[in-house]
Every structure is written in C-alpha cells, then in structure tokens.
Amino acid sequence: MERSTDPELACPVAPVVDIVFSRWTTPILWVLHEHGRQRFVELERRLTSITPKVLTQRLRQLERDGLVARTYHAEVPPRVEYEITELGASLGPLFAHLATWAEARLGDVERARRTYDGGR
C-alpha cells in the first residue's frame, strides 16, 4: 500500500485524532461512559465550563460520527437523552492506554518543558 506524500494524509491515525481528540469530545464521552445515559442539562452540570452552544455542536458531531446516540422521547415536556454507543465505548482501551502513558510520562514532559523554558 502506497502512502500519501501529503503530510496531513500520510499518518493513518490522523483521522482518528481529528474525531476523538477535538475539544470536548473526550470529556463528553468520559461522562457518558462513567455516568450512563444523560439528559442535556445533566451533561451541562457535569461539564461546567462548556457553553450550551458548544455542547450542542459537539453532541451533534459525536452523533454523526456514531459515538453517541440521541434518543428523543415524545412526552410533555419532550425529553432528549444521550448515551455512548458501542462504537464510542470501543474507544475505552485506547483511552486506558493513554491514561497509563500519561501517568507514567507526563512528569517527563513537564521536566522537558522546564528544561526548554529555562534555556531560553
């Protein structure tokens, strides 16, 4: 299989990084994984620094990507709930590996930053 010479297309994980690591994706998926099905207001309460507009945009994108399912209940008043899908939950091992790496290596990153910043 021939690799692209375009730097943005050459890395096979770039599309995954774009989907999974865009701002607010991981916190939303984490909340849904940890706390189960949530209403919009429940997500807002758990993610205190996200604006309603951004939360709506991210949830729509996650639904489009198949990582979150939206369920509309035709009641009075209407109720909408969000939950992580099987596809979204399948990212769990990836996040677990990243958490392990972070625990083992973020200290190294901080030391490298201090060294770099001290030499400038």
Side-chain angles (χ1 to χ4, degrees):
M1 180 170 139
E2 189 174 317
R3 299 255 178 191
S4 171
T5 56
D6 180 341
E8 290 186 27
L9 301 175
C11 178
V13 299
V16 176
V17 170
D18 287 344
I19 292 167
V20 177
F21 297 108
S22 54
R23 182 78 171 121
W24 292 109
T25 295
T26 51
I28 291 169
L29 291 176
W30 183 84
V31 166
L32 292 173
H33 177 75
E34 288 293 309
H35 300 284
R37 184 179 295 174
Q38 300 280 296
R39 294 177 72 170
F40 187 89
V41 294
E42 293 169 318
L43 286 167
E44 276 186 306
R45 280 188 212 122
R46 294 184 190 282
L47 302 165
T48 56
S49 56
I50 191 171
T51 65
K53 178 184 176 186
V54 172
L55 180 56
T56 298
Q57 290 170 340
R58 293 307 311 143
L59 286 168
R60 285 182 182 157
Q61 186 62 49
L62 290 168
E63 183 181 7
R64 180 175 182 258
D65 291 339
L67 302 177
V68 167
R70 178 184 182 272
T71 304
Y72 175 80
H73 301 278
E75 319 174 326
V76 178
R79 183 169 48 103
V80 177
E81 296 176 315
Y82 298 90
E83 62 187 318
I84 195 166
T85 64
E86 185 178 323
L87 181 61
S90 72
L91 292 167
L94 169 66
F95 292 149
H97 283 293
L98 288 171
T100 300
W101 183 90
E103 189 175 308
R105 298 296 184 187
L106 281 182
D108 298 334
V109 171
E110 287 302 318
R111 280 188 291 284
R113 288 176 177 172
R114 282 193 303 275
T115 299
Y116 180 87
D117 293 344
R120 300 195 123 217

